[in-house]
Amino acid sequence: MEKRMTVSSQNFKNEDIQKLEEISEVNVYSCYQCGNCSASCPAFEFMDMPPHQVIRAVQLGFIDEILEANTPWICAACISCTVKCPRGVDIAKLMEGVRQVILRKGIDHLNINEIDKKLREQLPQIALIANFRKTIL
Ligand code: SF4
Ligand code: SF4
């Protein structure tokens, strides 16, 4: 489900956005919001922010919304989005950058055991394995 976001001057160039740009080295401003990344994402339906919206949020400086979303942890790093992007935006790398920013803050956003059992059974195995690697310390 898409989240509603309101732009204010406070959103732009905060420390976490700069850190994310440094870590990922992804130029999010190449994105023209075609949505191919989200359309190709196997985990799309389980994310509270689809990949194209994460990119848009970075462009607009909505770092809090990104850090609170389950999206970076649901992402299985399959790089389908990166392959399908007509603008060469490496979204998978950006997702890894988001995870790094969160991990460096020491914030845990997803407990695998709190995911509904039925949903857990439907999730791609690679998504669960990626989460074990990235969220269980
Ligand atoms: S596929 Fe590329 S250009 Fe299209 S929305 Fe995703 S990141 Fe942006
Ligand atoms: S790398 Fe992540 S965001 Fe991209 S398509 Fe795969 S699961 Fe979706």
Side-chain angles (χ1 to χ4, degrees):
M1 184 187 299
E2 304 247 333
K3 282 190 174 179
R4 190 172 272 279
M5 299 180 280
T6 309
V7 181
S8 88
S9 58
Q10 290 177 342
N11 295 118
F12 292 98
K13 289 294 167 202
N14 74 34
E15 202 179 299
D16 289 330
I17 290 282
Q18 284 174 343
K19 207 181 295 173
L20 178 57
E21 286 174 350
E22 271 173 37
I23 292 172
S24 69
E25 298 178 319
V26 172
N27 178 12
V28 294
Y29 302 101
S30 296
C31 168
Y32 56 18
Q33 290 288 290
C34 68
N36 275 1
C37 47
S38 296
S40 72
C41 176
F44 169 87
E45 63 184 297
F46 305 111
M47 296 172 166
D48 25 63
M49 274 179 107
H52 76 281
Q53 197 180 6
V54 171
I55 300 282
R56 190 68 179 138
V58 178
Q59 289 174 334
L60 295 174
F62 286 100
I63 191 70
D64 290 343
E65 283 76 0
I66 301 167
L67 299 185
E68 285 165 13
N70 69 359
T71 303
W73 306 111
I74 295 289
C75 168
C78 69
I79 70 167
S80 169
C81 51
T82 300
V83 172
K84 292 287 165 86
C85 178
R87 299 285 294 159
V89 180
D90 192 340
I91 305 120
K93 201 171 171 199
L94 185 80
M95 291 291 185
E96 180 58 22
V98 173
R99 290 189 286 266
Q100 287 301 321
V101 169
I102 295 169
L103 289 172
R104 288 177 194 192
K105 281 176 175 289
I107 304 168
D108 249 352
H109 280 293
L110 184 69
N111 180 344
I112 208 98
N113 297 314
E114 288 174 2
I115 299 175
D116 177 74
K117 188 172 181 291
K118 194 161 169 242
L119 176 63
R120 218 163 47 203
E121 285 167 3
Q122 291 170 348
L123 278 169
Q125 291 296 307
I126 191 167
L128 291 172
I129 297 300
N131 269 289
F132 282 129
R133 277 208 310 261
K134 290 175 177 129
T135 61
I136 297 180
L137 304 176

